[in-house]
Amino acid sequence: MAIDKPKKIALIVPVLNEGQGLPIFYEKVTEVLDKLVCYQWQIIFVDDGSEDNSWQIIQQLASIHPHISGLLLSRNFGKEVALTAGVEFVNEKADAVICIDADLQHPPELLPEILTQWEAGFEIVATVRESSVDYSLWKKLGSKLFYMLMSRFSDLDIPPHSTDYRLLDKKVVSVLCKFTERTRMFRGLTDWMGFNKTYLSFVAPARSTGVPMYSFNKLFHLAINSLTSFSLLPLRITGYLGLLIMLSAGILLGYMLFASIVLDMFYTHMAFFVVFNTLLMGVLLSGLGLVALYIGHIHTEVVQRPLYIIREAIQYTGVQKSE
Ligand code: UDP
Ligand code: MG
């Protein structure tokens, strides 16, 4: 009987100033991985322009353990890009990749369960954070608002608090590597892609060491980027607002004209001027909205996201099987 070759799994770990915590991370992760003997592991640390000794530590770890690789980015590009770099580095060399944070806020203890789901046939095994100990009220509120806007106004269905801690099957990875858009939200893209997906939930512990690298500011930018790359609503809002203003000012102007001519009521010239001006403003804004529609089309063309993704195909061979 032929023995199945062990499946290759690559862990992708974005690292920004985590030098202090990396050895603990490695220790904790290997503790879990050592028990999963039927897989062949690889860990890829992507140093996203750290200013501490993270890269030296990665080099040290890689010199001792052959299954560790490291990528050093030339500057800080942000976690989304760091993850992309890792995924593109692995590409089809592994059967699945798992993205995991270096600060142990993504518990490695969940790895066996993630793999079980993958083996059960899910091509994306994503995770949802149930609660987190060290998130400020602002971060919590901001994330609530973001997920609310995202689920209402984009064609994506991202469950609240979904995280980047997720497994992507080889098929998903190879498609993801073909994406060329520059402004990207990693988990948004993988959610957009479809595929067979399941969610596991976990409670995020406090950071092992260091401070959160994602300030409120950075998260705000990420949220704006995600909203604008998955929804054209911000563009359309101006148009709708313009239409509303135009309509109400138009009706008001009509009524004023009617009242002053037929009902003999008196309005100052100023009043007419103000309402007429508001009407013009409405025309202008709806014009902008119209332009926005065109920009929307340009936007969709420019990001060059694949039009569709084929999960599987059955090729017609032309040979009929005999009974
Ligand atoms: N990170 C990164 N580049 C950045 C910011 C963060 O590679 O510009 C890494 C960081 O080292 C960590 C992970 O992304 O491994 C999550 O960062 P953080 O803990 O700051 O985010 P949070 O837990 O607040 O979502
Ligand atoms: Mg964290």
mmCIF file of all heavy atoms in Angstrom, residues 153-171:
data_model
loop_
_atom_site.group_PDB
_atom_site.id
_atom_site.type_symbol
_atom_site.label_atom_id
_atom_site.label_comp_id
_atom_site.label_asym_id
_atom_site.label_seq_id
_atom_site.Cartn_x
_atom_site.Cartn_y
_atom_site.Cartn_z
ATOM 1 N N PHE A 153 -23.399 47.982 2.985
ATOM 2 C CA PHE A 153 -23.157 48.724 1.751
ATOM 3 C C PHE A 153 -22.217 48.076 0.747
ATOM 4 O O PHE A 153 -21.984 48.610 -0.315
ATOM 5 C CB PHE A 153 -22.650 50.129 2.074
ATOM 6 C CG PHE A 153 -23.654 50.913 2.858
ATOM 7 C CD1 PHE A 153 -23.319 51.474 4.072
ATOM 8 C CD2 PHE A 153 -24.935 51.062 2.385
ATOM 9 C CE1 PHE A 153 -24.250 52.186 4.805
ATOM 10 C CE2 PHE A 153 -25.872 51.770 3.103
ATOM 11 C CZ PHE A 153 -25.532 52.328 4.315
ATOM 12 N N SER A 154 -21.621 46.945 1.098
ATOM 13 C CA SER A 154 -20.788 46.320 0.080
ATOM 14 C C SER A 154 -21.429 44.972 -0.249
ATOM 15 O O SER A 154 -22.306 44.512 0.467
ATOM 16 C CB SER A 154 -19.367 46.121 0.603
ATOM 17 O OG SER A 154 -19.334 45.027 1.473
ATOM 18 N N ASP A 155 -20.973 44.375 -1.319
ATOM 19 C CA ASP A 155 -21.588 43.104 -1.682
ATOM 20 C C ASP A 155 -20.881 41.942 -0.991
ATOM 21 O O ASP A 155 -20.939 40.808 -1.403
ATOM 22 C CB ASP A 155 -21.617 42.919 -3.203
ATOM 23 C CG ASP A 155 -20.285 43.234 -3.828
ATOM 24 O OD1 ASP A 155 -19.340 43.503 -3.056
ATOM 25 O OD2 ASP A 155 -20.179 43.222 -5.058
ATOM 26 N N LEU A 156 -20.191 42.270 0.085
ATOM 27 C CA LEU A 156 -19.463 41.254 0.830
ATOM 28 C C LEU A 156 -20.183 40.925 2.113
ATOM 29 O O LEU A 156 -20.776 41.799 2.724
ATOM 30 C CB LEU A 156 -18.110 41.818 1.243
ATOM 31 C CG LEU A 156 -16.927 41.546 0.365
ATOM 32 C CD1 LEU A 156 -15.687 42.033 1.061
ATOM 33 C CD2 LEU A 156 -16.830 40.071 0.086
ATOM 34 N N ASP A 157 -20.101 39.672 2.513
ATOM 35 C CA ASP A 157 -20.711 39.323 3.775
ATOM 36 C C ASP A 157 -19.614 38.884 4.738
ATOM 37 O O ASP A 157 -19.249 37.727 4.807
ATOM 38 C CB ASP A 157 -21.727 38.198 3.534
ATOM 39 C CG ASP A 157 -22.614 38.018 4.739
ATOM 40 O OD1 ASP A 157 -22.702 38.971 5.539
ATOM 41 O OD2 ASP A 157 -23.192 36.932 4.885
ATOM 42 N N ILE A 158 -19.073 39.848 5.447
ATOM 43 C CA ILE A 158 -18.011 39.516 6.392
ATOM 44 C C ILE A 158 -18.611 39.460 7.784
ATOM 45 O O ILE A 158 -19.185 40.441 8.235
ATOM 46 C CB ILE A 158 -16.913 40.606 6.396
ATOM 47 C CG1 ILE A 158 -16.370 40.813 4.994
ATOM 48 C CG2 ILE A 158 -15.788 40.242 7.338
ATOM 49 C CD1 ILE A 158 -15.225 41.788 4.946
ATOM 50 N N PRO A 159 -18.503 38.327 8.467
ATOM 51 C CA PRO A 159 -19.053 38.306 9.826
ATOM 52 C C PRO A 159 -18.251 39.238 10.726
ATOM 53 O O PRO A 159 -17.041 39.400 10.529
ATOM 54 C CB PRO A 159 -18.879 36.851 10.252
ATOM 55 C CG PRO A 159 -17.879 36.286 9.352
ATOM 56 C CD PRO A 159 -17.877 37.066 8.096
ATOM 57 N N PRO A 160 -18.911 39.864 11.704
ATOM 58 C CA PRO A 160 -18.205 40.785 12.581
ATOM 59 C C PRO A 160 -17.035 40.085 13.258
ATOM 60 O O PRO A 160 -17.115 38.904 13.574
ATOM 61 C CB PRO A 160 -19.262 41.172 13.618
ATOM 62 C CG PRO A 160 -20.550 40.825 13.023
ATOM 63 C CD PRO A 160 -20.324 39.749 12.032
ATOM 64 N N HIS A 161 -15.977 40.821 13.465
ATOM 65 C CA HIS A 161 -14.778 40.331 14.162
ATOM 66 C C HIS A 161 -14.097 39.177 13.471
ATOM 67 O O HIS A 161 -13.456 38.360 14.114
ATOM 68 C CB HIS A 161 -15.103 39.909 15.602
ATOM 69 C CG HIS A 161 -15.864 40.949 16.345
ATOM 70 N ND1 HIS A 161 -15.365 42.216 16.510
ATOM 71 C CD2 HIS A 161 -17.067 40.938 16.930
ATOM 72 C CE1 HIS A 161 -16.250 42.922 17.164
ATOM 73 N NE2 HIS A 161 -17.302 42.174 17.422
ATOM 74 N N SER A 162 -14.284 39.032 12.159
ATOM 75 C CA SER A 162 -13.507 37.987 11.513
ATOM 76 C C SER A 162 -12.060 38.475 11.478
ATOM 77 O O SER A 162 -11.805 39.672 11.428
ATOM 78 C CB SER A 162 -14.044 37.690 10.114
ATOM 79 O OG SER A 162 -13.560 38.611 9.190
ATOM 80 N N THR A 163 -11.138 37.549 11.564
ATOM 81 C CA THR A 163 -9.731 37.946 11.691
ATOM 82 C C THR A 163 -8.915 37.422 10.515
ATOM 83 O O THR A 163 -9.443 36.703 9.660
ATOM 84 C CB THR A 163 -9.116 37.346 12.973
ATOM 85 O OG1 THR A 163 -9.001 35.934 12.763
ATOM 86 C CG2 THR A 163 -9.968 37.609 14.188
ATOM 87 N N ASP A 164 -7.639 37.776 10.524
ATOM 88 C CA ASP A 164 -6.760 37.272 9.469
ATOM 89 C C ASP A 164 -6.249 35.876 9.774
ATOM 90 O O ASP A 164 -5.544 35.285 8.975
ATOM 91 C CB ASP A 164 -5.555 38.199 9.303
ATOM 92 C CG ASP A 164 -5.935 39.483 8.619
ATOM 93 O OD1 ASP A 164 -6.725 39.425 7.676
ATOM 94 O OD2 ASP A 164 -5.454 40.546 9.045
ATOM 95 N N TYR A 165 -6.573 35.366 10.962
ATOM 96 C CA TYR A 165 -6.137 34.022 11.334
ATOM 97 C C TYR A 165 -6.976 33.049 10.522
ATOM 98 O O TYR A 165 -8.123 32.776 10.864
ATOM 99 C CB TYR A 165 -6.393 33.846 12.833
ATOM 100 C CG TYR A 165 -5.846 32.575 13.455
ATOM 101 C CD1 TYR A 165 -4.856 31.828 12.846
ATOM 102 C CD2 TYR A 165 -6.322 32.148 14.698
ATOM 103 C CE1 TYR A 165 -4.360 30.686 13.443
ATOM 104 C CE2 TYR A 165 -5.836 31.013 15.310
ATOM 105 C CZ TYR A 165 -4.859 30.282 14.677
ATOM 106 O OH TYR A 165 -4.368 29.153 15.281
ATOM 107 N N ARG A 166 -6.445 32.594 9.414
ATOM 108 C CA ARG A 166 -7.248 31.735 8.556
ATOM 109 C C ARG A 166 -6.397 30.815 7.700
ATOM 110 O O ARG A 166 -5.251 31.111 7.393
ATOM 111 C CB ARG A 166 -8.173 32.565 7.671
ATOM 112 C CG ARG A 166 -7.484 33.686 6.921
ATOM 113 C CD ARG A 166 -8.473 34.483 6.107
ATOM 114 N NE ARG A 166 -9.500 35.097 6.939
ATOM 115 C CZ ARG A 166 -10.689 35.488 6.502
ATOM 116 N NH1 ARG A 166 -10.991 35.339 5.231
ATOM 117 N NH2 ARG A 166 -11.554 36.053 7.311
ATOM 118 N N LEU A 167 -7.014 29.712 7.357
ATOM 119 C CA LEU A 167 -6.338 28.758 6.477
ATOM 120 C C LEU A 167 -6.865 28.942 5.059
ATOM 121 O O LEU A 167 -8.070 29.118 4.859
ATOM 122 C CB LEU A 167 -6.609 27.331 6.950
ATOM 123 C CG LEU A 167 -6.081 26.211 6.049
ATOM 124 C CD1 LEU A 167 -5.632 25.038 6.914
ATOM 125 C CD2 LEU A 167 -7.102 25.719 5.047
ATOM 126 N N LEU A 168 -5.967 28.943 4.112
ATOM 127 C CA LEU A 168 -6.368 29.015 2.715
ATOM 128 C C LEU A 168 -5.826 27.796 1.993
ATOM 129 O O LEU A 168 -4.631 27.505 2.074
ATOM 130 C CB LEU A 168 -5.802 30.275 2.051
ATOM 131 C CG LEU A 168 -6.061 31.621 2.740
ATOM 132 C CD1 LEU A 168 -5.337 32.723 1.990
ATOM 133 C CD2 LEU A 168 -7.548 31.906 2.792
ATOM 134 N N ASP A 169 -6.707 27.104 1.321
ATOM 135 C CA ASP A 169 -6.297 25.945 0.548
ATOM 136 C C ASP A 169 -5.433 26.388 -0.641
ATOM 137 O O ASP A 169 -5.489 27.542 -1.059
ATOM 138 C CB ASP A 169 -7.570 25.232 0.059
ATOM 139 C CG ASP A 169 -7.262 23.956 -0.670
ATOM 140 O OD1 ASP A 169 -7.156 22.942 0.016
ATOM 141 O OD2 ASP A 169 -7.134 23.984 -1.915
ATOM 142 N N LYS A 170 -4.660 25.462 -1.152
ATOM 143 C CA LYS A 170 -3.783 25.741 -2.301
ATOM 144 C C LYS A 170 -4.528 26.421 -3.453
ATOM 145 O O LYS A 170 -4.036 27.338 -4.087
ATOM 146 C CB LYS A 170 -3.226 24.408 -2.759
ATOM 147 C CG LYS A 170 -2.116 24.463 -3.737
ATOM 148 C CD LYS A 170 -1.665 23.027 -3.959
ATOM 149 C CE LYS A 170 -0.575 22.944 -4.984
ATOM 150 N NZ LYS A 170 -0.121 21.569 -5.159
ATOM 151 N N LYS A 171 -5.774 25.937 -3.696
ATOM 152 C CA LYS A 171 -6.573 26.498 -4.798
ATOM 153 C C LYS A 171 -6.805 27.980 -4.587
ATOM 154 O O LYS A 171 -6.707 28.792 -5.499
ATOM 155 C CB LYS A 171 -7.959 25.840 -4.816
ATOM 156 C CG LYS A 171 -8.006 24.500 -5.396
ATOM 157 C CD LYS A 171 -9.466 24.044 -5.380
ATOM 158 C CE LYS A 171 -9.565 22.651 -4.824
ATOM 159 N NZ LYS A 171 -10.890 22.277 -4.423
#
